[in-house]
Amino acid sequence: MVCTVQMYEKPKLDRPVLIEGLPGIGFVANISALHLIRELDAKRFAEIRSSSFQDFAITAKNGEARFPINELYYHKGRMKERDLIILYGNTQALTTFGQYELSGQILDIAQELGCNYVITLGGLRVRERANTPKLYCTASDPQTLDKTLSLGAKKIRGQIFGLAGLLVGLGKLRGMRGFCLLAETPGFYPDVSAAREVLNAVCKVLNLEVDLSRLDVAAEATRGILESFGMAPPLKEEETKKSRLRWLI
Amino acid sequence: MVCTVQMYEKPKLDRPVLIEGLPGIGFVANISALHLIRELDAKRFAEIRSSSFQDFAITAKNGEARFPINELYYHKGRMKERDLIILYGNTQALTTFGQYELSGQILDIAQELGCNYVITLGGLRVRERANTPKLYCTASDPQTLDKTLSLGAKKIRGQIFGLAGLLVGLGKLRGMRGFCLLAETPGFYPDVSAAREVLNAVCKVLNLEVDLSRLDVAAEATRGILESFGMAPPLKEEETKKSRLRWLI
Amino acid sequence: MVCTVQMYEKPKLDRPVLIEGLPGIGFVANISALHLIRELDAKRFAEIRSSSFQDFAITAKNGEARFPINELYYHKGRMKERDLIILYGNTQALTTFGQYELSGQILDIAQELGCNYVITLGGLRVRERANTPKLYCTASDPQTLDKTLSLGAKKIRGQIFGLAGLLVGLGKLRGMRGFCLLAETPGFYPDVSAAREVLNAVCKVLNLEVDLSRLDVAAEATRGILESFGMAPPLKEEETKKSRLRWLI
Amino acid sequence: MVCTVQMYEKPKLDRPVLIEGLPGIGFVANISALHLIRELDAKRFAEIRSSSFQDFAITAKNGEARFPINELYYHKGRMKERDLIILYGNTQALTTFGQYELSGQILDIAQELGCNYVITLGGLRVRERANTPKLYCTASDPQTLDKTLSLGAKKIRGQIFGLAGLLVGLGKLRGMRGFCLLAETPGFYPDVSAAREVLNAVCKVLNLEVDLSRLDVAAEATRGILESFGMAPPLKEEETKKSRLRWLI
């Protein structure tokens, strides 16, 4: 099995950009993707489950069962906007092997829909909370890197774990361009400020007009999902270390 | 290999309900399934082995070798009863990946026999033993949840590990409905009281007429199987923690 | 890949008995198999490598490289003797999954050559060294168990790890009979006395005439193989515990 | 997926020799391969990624993203030189299983290009740094071993971890000859002296004329790659132990 995909619709898109929004440090990508989906009224067209996700069910506040899952949404660009594929979910795969398989599956779908550009988001852990979190980036190639640096981001030095790193890397092997954009965050809770910085930059580069005033609602929803996964935020640093996943390091 | 299935018979069933009865907290599901199989004289029609089961043989009291295995039984409903597929076994898979593969295999077989409804059972660990253990539930959808709540169960808050969680979750992705029913239990030994509460509710929802007076015989048999696996009950809490499996947490 | 088989010959055999002789507790099976191969002048007809073996090369005394491997030998029975397939090797698979795959591969080959009977050997760890180690057994079915008990073996209570357990178990699912025979051993070094008891019983049940006077030569060779694997015997108990494999428990 | 190969060219080679140059103890093979590639102006013809590599991206000094990868280069022999396939990369696979799959993939490609000879390189950890590191070797067969010993190498006693061991071992199962050549090294940093000894011997056996005066440039580049992987050399012994990979033991 490894990955099971349920396609609800095969949207017709014009060179869509894939935006990654899975849980990770500070839940920056997760908040950002959820906010984009809500504000753009993006439509879910695929669900992905993996044998490398957690083998448990979780329960929502209303008592219904929820499950570890990744979802793909699309947004047909209005006016100057680019078409988008937004990757959203409540988990990443638990193993290195599972992360590679999941990335491959997502890129297969994205490529079939004409995608050749990947943007991944995330948090860069820092000790102190900043009023205006700084942005950091890396990219698949010098041209894309220059474009990303022009958004006001600095070059990252270090490793980018999880799908934020893999999607750009495995995409490059397929001839796709892409960049990874991280915002500074202490990382122990869904970080609205960090998500705001990242979203501002993403909207700029994609000519998206998105109201960011309701960003805290997306963060609150993310907090609820975390709780149902048994990761009650705000997590204290010691607790995080005990049960941390690699993509939450 | 991963999973190997030996089918002894392909029964003709009318929209059978799949009931999960594998080892887990308090062995609630395990006792319940064994009791149903015996009282209904359900017939074994398939054996499943997985490369993710334990790689050892165990010995029965008579000296014969036994092996980690899952079995499927069927019961043709009498009168108003629904047809049943009962999943019984002496283990779950040892890895997350194995649990997903096992669930997929079981759902494949169940779906081929016309099943579109899954009931999973289990224990919910509590500190103190209750005279009448309370029931907790979650379900695939609001309608099924309402039906389950009407049995006197409360909504679960938390994770449901193992096949009790996965079968409902992966079933939902295939368009199957289902619920998970847990009874309070301290969880360190095969818990007859918890199994009784669960079975009472299951019989009610499925119009099954099953005598529960010999439930302790099924518990005793479960105890014997545990011993042969080197998990001598009653387990003390400390011992459990050392060697616990995730689906026994 | 998982398992790669190199077949050098496809021998014509008459209902051969598969004898397992891989490393394990006290190296009882390993010594026994090597001795049988040498005394019967059994012929190697297949090599098996698995992605679940150790990922290293080892060096022999003469400087040549050696590798983790399993081998199959055959012996055409003389007079009243049964035809044999002897499984020999310097390792078992390192993971549960690998053990199942390896067992399946070996049974595939054995079945294709007409085998429907499996004998697995091993050591049963005891604290004190006995002058005449006692034999213990389990079997696939009551009839085979009775036959094995008549050799003077007692019933085992407990788990039988590794291929000694799996080959009998997975063989049974394929309709093969078989038994597992263990001799008492402290288990920290290649144990000639335990191997002698096991071989005596095996020769009796298979009408094999094998001289056991050179058994210590096989034990010495086994010791040399262990050293090249970095497991210098005699191992002290503490050292064993640090680096023990599950099939050496 | 497991391994994904991107072939840029299928070179026509005459019985090429495969030279392994992946990271390992003292980065002896890694420096040697990089130096050969640069001095011989070898051409990259294939990239290999594996689901068993690290699931992260790394960043180069210029800010561009880099990824865990293995690469194959070829060199058409000039004059008396043999044709070469050089395996270079910034990682080995993280699991035993992954190492086997990676080795099988590389040997598949090499065999298809006519290769039947494998040379693997590496470091042999010693306590003290030697002025002229000694060479050690093992080989697939007595004839190849004699040839390697004649280079002034001594016989290794012990295990050879990683692809340095596996490529010779799995190659032998395919009928390929080969040897493994290790130089003494303390092992905590890219070791130019050890690489020089190894390269001298390799050049001698393959009639390669390669200038070794710029070997420290290759070592410096290797150091930069390590840093981007979060392994800042010179590593202190204690730090190495905490985060060591099996092929860096």
Side-chain angles (χ1 to χ4, degrees):
Chain A
M1 185 159 101
V2 187
C3 285
T4 314
V5 180
Q6 186 87 354
M7 288 278 279
Y8 297 110
E9 183 187 353
K10 193 177 167 183
K12 289 195 180 175
L13 302 171
D14 179 27
R15 293 172 307 119
V17 173
L18 173 63
I19 299 179
E20 178 270 337
L22 297 180
I25 298 167
F27 299 87
V28 174
N30 216 211
I31 297 170
S32 301
L34 182 57
H35 188 73
L36 283 180
I37 289 165
R38 289 178 171 182
E39 293 292 326
L40 298 172
D41 201 18
K43 195 166 172 203
R44 191 177 66 163
F45 69 97
E47 285 187 312
I48 304 173
R49 295 198 185 179
S50 159
S51 298
S52 300
F53 285 170
Q54 298 84 344
D55 55 343
F56 57 53
I58 53 181
T59 48
K61 276 195 179 159
N62 66 3
E64 267 187 72
R66 295 277 177 273
F67 308 96
I69 202 156
N70 280 7
E71 301 170 323
L72 292 170
Y73 292 76
Y74 70 87
H75 165 67
K76 296 282 296 177
R78 307 155 299 191
M79 309 289 288
K80 289 185 183 176
E81 293 174 0
R82 289 282 296 265
D83 285 0
L84 302 181
I85 299 171
I86 303 170
L87 168 63
Y88 181 67
N90 51 22
T91 191
Q92 295 193 24
L94 301 183
T95 63
T96 296
F97 186 88
Q99 293 279 67
Y100 269 91
E101 298 299 315
L102 182 60
S103 300
Q105 186 67 71
I106 290 162
L107 290 172
D108 281 352
I109 298 172
Q111 271 194 305
E112 208 185 315
L113 299 175
C115 169
N116 61 11
Y117 203 96
V118 181
I119 297 176
T120 67
L121 310 175
L124 185 74
R125 200 186 290 292
V126 290
R127 298 227 168 166
E128 304 275 318
R129 184 179 186 137
N131 279 334
T132 309
K134 291 195 195 70
L135 290 176
Y136 290 84
C137 70
T138 186
S140 58
D141 58 285
Q143 192 185 330
T144 308
L145 181 62
D146 282 348
K147 193 173 175 182
T148 319
L149 291 170
S150 72
L151 295 168
K154 297 177 178 180
K155 295 175 187 173
I156 304 169
R157 289 292 290 165
Q159 294 93 43
I160 300 131
F161 282 84
L163 262 67
L166 278 187
L167 287 173
V168 174
L170 295 173
K172 188 180 178 183
L173 192 70
R174 296 164 181 242
M176 298 161 86
R177 296 189 167 213
F179 65 84
C180 172
L181 196 64
L182 309 181
E184 288 181 334
T185 173
F188 303 124
Y189 49 86
D191 188 337
V192 177
S193 313
R196 179 171 290 114
E197 294 307 312
V198 158
L199 270 181
N200 261 327
V202 167
C203 290
K204 208 157 139 192
V205 84
L206 295 176
N207 292 315
L208 284 172
E209 295 216 356
V210 175
D211 180 356
L212 301 185
S213 63
R214 285 177 297 271
L215 202 52
D216 54 339
V217 182
E220 194 53 43
T222 302
R223 196 184 297 270
I225 294 165
L226 287 181
E227 279 180 43
S228 69
F229 265 77
M231 301 183 283
L235 296 168
K236 286 178 199 148
E237 189 167 5
E238 313 83 68
E239 290 167 0
T240 316
K241 277 190 181 147
K242 267 187 270 170
S243 65
R244 71 185 173 194
L245 297 164
R246 273 170 320 118
W247 33 272
L248 277 178
I249 284 169
Chain B
M1 185 160 101
V2 187
C3 285
T4 315
V5 181
Q6 187 87 353
M7 288 279 278
Y8 297 109
E9 184 186 352
K10 193 177 168 183
K12 289 195 179 174
L13 302 171
D14 180 27
R15 293 173 307 119
V17 173
L18 173 62
I19 300 179
E20 177 270 336
L22 296 181
I25 299 167
F27 297 87
V28 173
N30 216 211
I31 298 170
S32 301
L34 182 57
H35 188 73
L36 284 180
I37 289 165
R38 288 177 172 184
E39 294 292 325
L40 297 172
D41 201 17
K43 194 166 173 202
R44 191 176 67 163
F45 70 97
E47 284 187 311
I48 304 173
R49 296 199 185 178
S50 160
S51 298
S52 300
F53 286 170
Q54 297 85 345
D55 55 342
F56 57 54
I58 52 180
T59 48
K61 275 195 179 161
N62 66 3
E64 267 187 70
R66 295 276 177 275
F67 307 97
I69 202 157
N70 280 6
E71 301 170 324
L72 292 170
Y73 292 76
Y74 71 87
H75 166 67
K76 296 283 294 179
R78 305 155 301 188
M79 309 289 288
K80 288 184 183 178
E81 292 174 2
R82 290 281 297 264
D83 284 0
L84 302 181
I85 298 171
I86 303 170
L87 169 63
Y88 181 68
N90 52 21
T91 191
Q92 294 192 25
L94 300 183
T95 63
T96 296
F97 187 87
Q99 294 278 67
Y100 269 91
E101 298 298 315
L102 182 61
S103 300
Q105 186 67 71
I106 290 161
L107 290 172
D108 281 352
I109 298 172
Q111 270 194 306
E112 208 185 316
L113 299 176
C115 170
N116 61 11
Y117 203 97
V118 181
I119 298 176
T120 67
L121 310 176
L124 186 74
R125 199 185 292 289
V126 289
R127 296 225 170 170
E128 303 275 317
R129 183 179 186 138
N131 279 334
T132 308
K134 291 195 195 70
L135 290 175
Y136 290 83
C137 69
T138 186
S140 58
D141 58 286
Q143 193 185 330
T144 309
L145 182 62
D146 283 347
K147 193 172 173 182
T148 319
L149 291 169
S150 74
L151 295 167
K154 296 177 179 181
K155 294 174 188 173
I156 305 168
R157 290 291 292 163
Q159 295 93 43
I160 300 132
F161 282 85
L163 262 67
L166 278 188
L167 286 174
V168 174
L170 295 173
K172 189 180 177 183
L173 192 71
R174 295 164 181 241
M176 298 161 85
R177 296 190 167 212
F179 64 85
C180 171
L181 196 64
L182 309 180
E184 289 180 335
T185 173
F188 302 124
Y189 50 85
D191 188 337
V192 177
S193 313
R196 178 171 290 112
E197 294 308 312
V198 157
L199 269 182
N200 260 327
V202 168
C203 289
K204 208 157 139 194
V205 85
L206 295 176
N207 292 315
L208 285 171
E209 296 216 355
V210 175
D211 180 357
L212 301 184
S213 63
R214 285 176 297 270
L215 203 51
D216 53 339
V217 182
E220 194 53 41
T222 302
R223 195 183 298 270
I225 294 165
L226 288 182
E227 280 180 43
S228 68
F229 264 78
M231 300 184 283
L235 296 167
K236 286 179 199 147
E237 189 167 5
E238 311 84 68
E239 290 168 1
T240 314
K241 277 188 181 148
K242 266 185 273 169
S243 64
R244 72 185 173 195
L245 298 164
R246 273 171 319 118
W247 35 272
L248 277 177
I249 284 169
Chain C
M1 184 159 101
V2 187
C3 285
T4 315
V5 180
Q6 186 88 353
M7 288 278 279
Y8 297 110
E9 182 186 353
K10 195 178 166 182
K12 289 195 179 174
L13 302 172
D14 179 27
R15 293 172 308 117
V17 173
L18 174 63
I19 299 180
E20 176 270 335
L22 297 181
I25 298 167
F27 298 87
V28 173
N30 217 210
I31 297 170
S32 301
L34 182 57
H35 187 73
L36 284 180
I37 288 165
R38 289 178 170 182
E39 293 291 326
L40 297 172
D41 200 18
K43 194 166 170 201
R44 192 177 67 165
F45 69 97
E47 285 188 311
I48 305 173
R49 297 200 184 176
S50 160
S51 297
S52 301
F53 286 169
Q54 297 85 344
D55 56 343
F56 57 53
I58 52 180
T59 47
K61 277 196 179 161
N62 66 3
E64 267 186 70
R66 296 276 177 274
F67 307 96
I69 202 156
N70 280 6
E71 302 170 322
L72 291 171
Y73 292 77
Y74 71 86
H75 166 66
K76 297 282 295 177
R78 305 155 301 190
M79 308 288 289
K80 289 185 182 177
E81 292 174 2
R82 290 281 296 264
D83 284 1
L84 303 181
I85 298 171
I86 303 171
L87 169 63
Y88 181 67
N90 52 21
T91 190
Q92 295 194 24
L94 301 183
T95 63
T96 296
F97 186 87
Q99 294 278 65
Y100 268 91
E101 297 300 314
L102 182 60
S103 300
Q105 187 67 71
I106 290 162
L107 290 172
D108 281 352
I109 297 172
Q111 271 194 305
E112 208 185 315
L113 298 176
C115 169
N116 61 11
Y117 203 96
V118 181
I119 298 176
T120 67
L121 310 176
L124 186 74
R125 199 186 292 289
V126 289
R127 297 226 168 168
E128 303 276 317
R129 182 177 188 140
N131 279 333
T132 308
K134 290 196 195 70
L135 290 175
Y136 289 84
C137 69
T138 185
S140 59
D141 58 286
Q143 193 185 329
T144 308
L145 182 62
D146 282 348
K147 192 171 173 182
T148 319
L149 291 170
S150 74
L151 295 168
K154 296 178 180 181
K155 294 174 188 174
I156 304 168
R157 290 292 290 163
Q159 295 93 45
I160 300 132
F161 282 84
L163 261 68
L166 278 188
L167 285 174
V168 174
L170 294 173
K172 189 181 177 181
L173 192 71
R174 296 162 181 241
M176 297 162 86
R177 296 188 167 214
F179 65 85
C180 172
L181 195 64
L182 309 181
E184 290 179 334
T185 173
F188 302 124
Y189 49 86
D191 188 337
V192 177
S193 312
R196 179 171 288 114
E197 293 307 312
V198 158
L199 269 182
N200 260 327
V202 168
C203 289
K204 208 157 140 193
V205 83
L206 294 176
N207 293 315
L208 285 172
E209 295 215 358
V210 176
D211 181 356
L212 302 184
S213 62
R214 286 177 295 271
L215 203 50
D216 52 340
V217 182
E220 194 53 41
T222 302
R223 195 184 297 269
I225 294 165
L226 288 181
E227 279 180 44
S228 68
F229 264 78
M231 301 184 281
L235 296 168
K236 287 180 198 145
E237 189 167 7
E238 313 83 70
E239 291 168 0
T240 315
K241 277 188 180 147
K242 268 187 269 169
S243 65
R244 72 185 172 195
L245 298 164
R246 273 169 321 118
W247 34 272
L248 277 179
I249 284 170
Chain D
M1 184 159 100
V2 188
C3 285
T4 314
V5 180
Q6 187 87 354
M7 288 278 278
Y8 297 110
E9 182 187 353
K10 194 178 167 183
K12 289 195 180 175
L13 302 172
D14 179 27
R15 291 173 307 117
V17 173
L18 173 63
I19 299 179
E20 177 270 336
L22 297 180
I25 298 167
F27 298 87
V28 174
N30 218 210
I31 297 170
S32 301
L34 182 56
H35 188 73
L36 283 180
I37 289 165
R38 289 178 171 183
E39 294 292 326
L40 297 172
D41 200 17
K43 194 166 171 202
R44 191 177 67 163
F45 69 96
E47 284 188 312
I48 304 173
R49 295 199 186 178
S50 159
S51 298
S52 301
F53 287 169
Q54 297 85 344
D55 55 342
F56 57 53
I58 53 180
T59 48
K61 276 196 178 159
N62 66 3
E64 267 186 71
R66 295 278 178 271
F67 307 96
I69 201 157
N70 280 6
E71 301 170 323
L72 292 171
Y73 292 76
Y74 71 86
H75 166 67
K76 296 283 295 178
R78 306 156 299 190
M79 308 288 287
K80 288 185 184 178
E81 291 175 2
R82 289 281 297 263
D83 284 0
L84 302 181
I85 299 171
I86 303 171
L87 169 63
Y88 181 68
N90 51 21
T91 191
Q92 296 193 24
L94 300 183
T95 63
T96 296
F97 186 87
Q99 293 278 67
Y100 269 92
E101 298 299 315
L102 182 60
S103 300
Q105 187 67 70
I106 290 162
L107 290 172
D108 281 352
I109 297 172
Q111 271 194 305
E112 209 185 316
L113 299 176
C115 169
N116 61 11
Y117 203 95
V118 182
I119 297 176
T120 67
L121 310 175
L124 185 74
R125 198 185 292 290
V126 289
R127 298 227 168 167
E128 303 276 317
R129 181 177 189 139
N131 278 334
T132 308
K134 291 195 194 72
L135 291 175
Y136 289 83
C137 69
T138 185
S140 58
D141 58 285
Q143 192 185 330
T144 309
L145 182 62
D146 282 348
K147 193 172 173 182
T148 319
L149 292 170
S150 72
L151 295 167
K154 297 178 179 180
K155 295 174 185 173
I156 305 168
R157 290 291 291 164
Q159 294 93 46
I160 300 133
F161 282 84
L163 261 68
L166 278 187
L167 286 174
V168 175
L170 294 173
K172 188 181 177 182
L173 192 71
R174 296 162 181 241
M176 297 161 87
R177 296 189 167 212
F179 65 86
C180 172
L181 196 64
L182 309 181
E184 289 180 336
T185 173
F188 303 124
Y189 49 86
D191 188 338
V192 177
S193 312
R196 178 171 290 113
E197 294 307 311
V198 157
L199 269 182
N200 260 327
V202 167
C203 289
K204 208 157 139 195
V205 84
L206 294 175
N207 292 314
L208 285 171
E209 295 215 357
V210 176
D211 180 356
L212 301 186
S213 62
R214 286 176 295 273
L215 203 51
D216 54 338
V217 182
E220 194 53 42
T222 302
R223 195 184 298 268
I225 294 165
L226 288 182
E227 278 180 45
S228 68
F229 265 77
M231 301 184 282
L235 296 167
K236 286 179 199 147
E237 188 167 7
E238 313 83 70
E239 290 168 0
T240 315
K241 278 189 180 147
K242 269 187 269 170
S243 65
R244 71 183 172 195
L245 298 164
R246 273 169 319 118
W247 35 271
L248 277 178
I249 285 171

